Amino acid sequence: MKRIAILTSGGDAPGMNAAIRAAAKMAQYKGMEVYGVRRGYHGMLRDEIFPMDGRFISGIIDRGGTALLTARCPEFKDPKFRAIAAENLKRRGIEGIVVIGGDGSYRGADLLSKEHGFKVVGLPGTIDNDIIGTDFTIGFDTCLNTILDAISKLRDTATSHERTILVEVMGRRAGDLAVHACLAGGGDGLLIPELENPIEMLAYQIQERRNTGRLHDIVLVAEGVGNILDIEAELKKRVSTEVRSVVLGHVQRGGTPSGRDRVLATRLAAKAIEVLANDEGGVMIGIEDGQVVTHEISYAWEGTKKQDVIELYRMADILSR
Ligand code: ADP
Ligand code: F6P
């Protein structure tokens, strides 16, 4: 394969730049020409495709966000628009595509491959850690550390005022960020969308903690559980503590990528290029039990997610009492 294109798509995640850099450098090392696509599929069908040289990737490894920019592009679900994108790629002789994003982005790439014959490889880039076929996604570790920093700060003020603070974290429909943040941040309560979350249980737990002299409660709430203000209102009816809610929001998506995310991104990107250099495609790259693995790209929506989040929840539940 002579020419490949790289794009980032869907929500950005710290470490995407390290993946872009590694993919570009490794491809050049293997004698391939590399193109960048700006603004994900949105830019692909508007012909925002450019030759990516060394200057573009220089100095991006430690920057959050994505130097290629990203976007959501609903039109890409329509084959008519995918044909326009395919034409833009073919005109430049591009045969292989590395897409860094979530399973929605993989679906777009898979359709482009089936309809127009490109070799595609998906790299898991999202803070949510919600992609089947990989234990961790690029951006999850950095995001987790951002949340932990916030928890430490919130605990200071929660203790001074003897308050209960509900901390809403991202994750879309997944509770991974909340569970890991609870375990690593010493959280005192946890609500995740994978399980029923009776508010009475949480209220009981808070009252019990206060009966044993604890001065604060930090409760991690995954955004997929529901509206935090409704949860706050329900909790307030059942506890005697003052309750506050904090939505961490998009601050979780930014920041200098952690070393772990940069290494993960680099390893996964190197594998993606190895696949394309062998004229193969139709796969996603992941990390499982510390090893870089490949799965059919459709595994991301047809496979079964490892339910280790439930096991970790049980641990967090015991430790939060
Ligand atoms: P993520 O990649 O993080 O899951 P999205 O679900 O928003 O994020 O998908 C990113 C982009 O991928 C969408 O804006 C769209 O351009 C493309 N995409 C998502 N789902 C499909 C689909 N079923 N068919 C074609 N393209 C899709
Ligand atoms: O998928 C990443 C993510 O940050 C989710 O955690 C969150 O639900 C969503 O994207 C937010 O999307 P937007 O940036 O469009 O508000």
Side-chain angles (χ1 to χ4, degrees):
M1 186 174 302
K2 287 260 181 323
R3 288 192 188 142
I4 66 160
I6 305 173
L7 70 148
T8 49
S9 169
D12 66 347
M16 280 183 162
N17 281 328
I20 295 167
R21 169 189 178 267
K25 291 190 90 156
M26 203 53 91
Q28 281 153 4
Y29 172 75
K30 296 214 180 246
M32 294 189 269
E33 285 175 38
V34 181
Y35 283 75
V37 182
R38 283 203 176 85
R39 301 183 176 86
Y41 294 122
H42 178 90
M44 190 185 275
L45 61 90
R46 286 166 182 79
D47 209 19
E48 297 182 42
I49 303 171
F50 63 98
M52 195 189 275
D53 60 16
R55 275 170 306 178
F56 182 83
I57 53 172
S58 171
I60 65 171
I61 194 166
D62 57 355
R63 279 176 31 209
T66 161
L68 282 173
L69 310 181
T70 187
R72 296 202 165 92
C73 174
E75 307 103 286
F76 211 71
K77 293 187 179 165
D78 182 336
K80 185 168 82 233
F81 289 101
R82 289 196 294 272
I84 298 172
E87 179 48 38
N88 291 336
L89 295 165
K90 285 190 174 166
R91 205 177 327 113
R92 294 176 172 85
I94 292 166
E95 300 161 276
I97 300 166
V98 177
V99 59
I100 308 164
D103 62 337
S105 303
Y106 292 3
R107 279 178 193 260
D110 187 46
L111 289 166
L112 204 57
S113 164
K114 292 200 165 108
E115 293 163 358
H116 302 283
F118 296 100
K119 299 280 197 306
V120 300
V121 181
L123 294 186
T126 166
I127 60 166
D128 300 335
N129 210 41
D130 60 349
I131 301 182
I132 298 167
T134 190
D135 292 345
F136 295 104
T137 55
I138 298 163
F140 175 72
D141 183 64
T142 308
C143 178
L144 174 60
N145 284 301
T146 300
I147 296 169
L148 294 179
D149 185 43
I151 288 176
S152 298
K153 289 172 174 149
L154 290 169
R155 185 178 284 115
D156 289 344
T157 177
T159 307
S160 305
H161 288 264
E162 300 177 55
R163 281 174 173 160
T164 300
I165 299 192
L166 304 178
V167 187
E168 185 194 283
V169 299
M170 282 186 167
R172 234 195 282 209
R173 286 176 293 279
D176 294 50
L177 279 170
V179 170
H180 284 251
C182 189
L183 281 175
D188 310 306
L190 174 62
L191 305 179
I192 58 169
E194 288 85 350
L195 292 168
E196 291 292 313
N197 299 283
I199 212 74
E200 295 76 11
M201 289 291 291
L202 178 63
Y204 176 78
Q205 192 168 324
I206 288 169
Q207 288 305 138
E208 284 292 290
R209 283 174 52 75
R210 296 310 173 116
N211 291 342
T212 56
R214 262 70 151 248
L215 298 178
H216 67 263
D217 322 279
I218 298 290
V219 179
L220 274 303
V221 182
E223 65 174 345
V225 170
N227 186 306
I228 189 127
L229 294 178
D230 293 344
I231 296 169
E232 180 188 310
E234 286 305 309
L235 188 63
K236 275 180 169 164
K237 290 182 200 158
R238 295 172 172 85
V239 292
S240 54
T241 58
E242 265 190 276
V243 183
R244 294 286 187 275
S245 294
V246 175
V247 178
L248 292 186
H250 288 79
V251 73
Q252 296 165 93
R253 288 247 291 268
T256 303
S258 67
R260 183 174 280 265
D261 269 332
R262 293 185 218 178
V263 172
L264 175 66
T266 301
R267 290 178 71 192
L268 300 184
K271 183 68 180 176
I273 298 305
E274 189 186 311
V275 169
L276 292 178
N278 289 335
D279 266 330
E280 290 162 8
V283 297
M284 58 162 287
I285 316 286
I287 185 127
E288 290 182 332
D289 302 323
Q291 302 299 314
V292 175
V293 295
T294 57
H295 292 283
E296 291 284 309
I297 198 161
S298 57
Y299 190 72
W301 55 94
E302 287 170 357
T304 315
K305 189 174 192 258
K306 277 191 188 168
Q307 280 305 325
D308 51 357
V309 74
I310 307 289
E311 198 182 309
L312 295 180
Y313 174 91
R314 297 199 201 296
M315 201 185 290
D317 186 43
I318 294 168
L319 297 176
S320 64
R321 282 159 200 276

